[in-house]
Amino acid sequence: MAFASVFRRSLLGVSSNFSWTRLYSTTLTSPKLFVSGLSRLTTDEKLREAFAPFGQLVEAKVITDRPTGRSKGFGFVTYTNMEEAEKAREGMNAKFLDGWVIIVDPAKPREYRPPPQPEAEQSVTGFTTNKTVGWCG
């Protein structure tokens, strides 16, 4: 919807503070790319074949659901250097792969998430119970 209004403004010559560079402004900080919009039928090998013409690949990995083994619809592609990754990003962004339009963005580093803490059981009164076994003194 926002794209249509920006497109309409540009055709009518109405000035706007929208910057087209914001859509493509993130710069690469590593040779690893995030690929979204993948078909459920896309495999690691198909992803590797699609991105191989842009340079030497280190890894091409489609992320799968553990219980079912099906693709989650995204993956990662890693090149040996930044120039190859930038060429692949420009060449494959908004292109068709297995009948689906894929989006190629720089991969972000994984954020630290603390391990989940077990929740304390609450009694009917709302107080937590102490499950210590043994004598206290």
Side-chain angles (χ1 to χ4, degrees), residues 36-56:
S36 60
L38 295 176
S39 164
R40 301 277 183 199
L41 303 175
T42 303
T43 62
D44 292 349
E45 189 57 38
K46 287 182 182 179
L47 189 64
R48 179 176 290 280
E49 288 173 9
F51 281 84
F54 299 99
Q56 186 177 3

Side-chain angles (χ1 to χ4, degrees), residues 26-134:
T26 53
T27 58
L28 289 176
T29 56
S30 75
K32 190 170 190 176
L33 299 173
F34 172 74
V35 184
S36 60
L38 295 176
S39 164
R40 301 277 183 199
L41 303 175
T42 303
T43 62
D44 292 349
E45 189 57 38
K46 287 182 182 179
L47 189 64
R48 179 176 290 280
E49 288 173 9
F51 281 84
F54 299 99
Q56 186 177 3
L57 284 170
V58 174
E59 179 185 34
K61 179 75 176 153
V62 175
I63 304 303
T64 56
D65 184 43
R66 285 183 188 159
T68 63
R70 287 182 44 196
S71 165
K72 286 189 169 186
F74 66 94
F76 294 94
V77 176
T78 307
Y79 284 92
T80 54
N81 60 45
M82 303 280 279
E83 292 79 24
E84 293 173 347
E86 187 61 43
K87 283 192 322 190
R89 180 181 176 202
E90 291 171 1
M92 289 299 290
N93 193 29
K95 299 290 190 245
F96 282 94
L97 180 61
D98 288 337
W100 289 54
V101 177
I102 61 170
I103 305 299
V104 182
D105 286 319
K108 296 177 184 170
R110 198 173 218 182
E111 294 180 4
Y112 172 75
R113 293 191 316 181
Q117 299 295 323
E119 294 184 21
E121 294 180 28
Q122 292 199 355
S123 66
V124 180
T125 59
F127 295 104
T128 58
T129 57
N130 186 358
K131 297 201 176 200
T132 305
V133 178

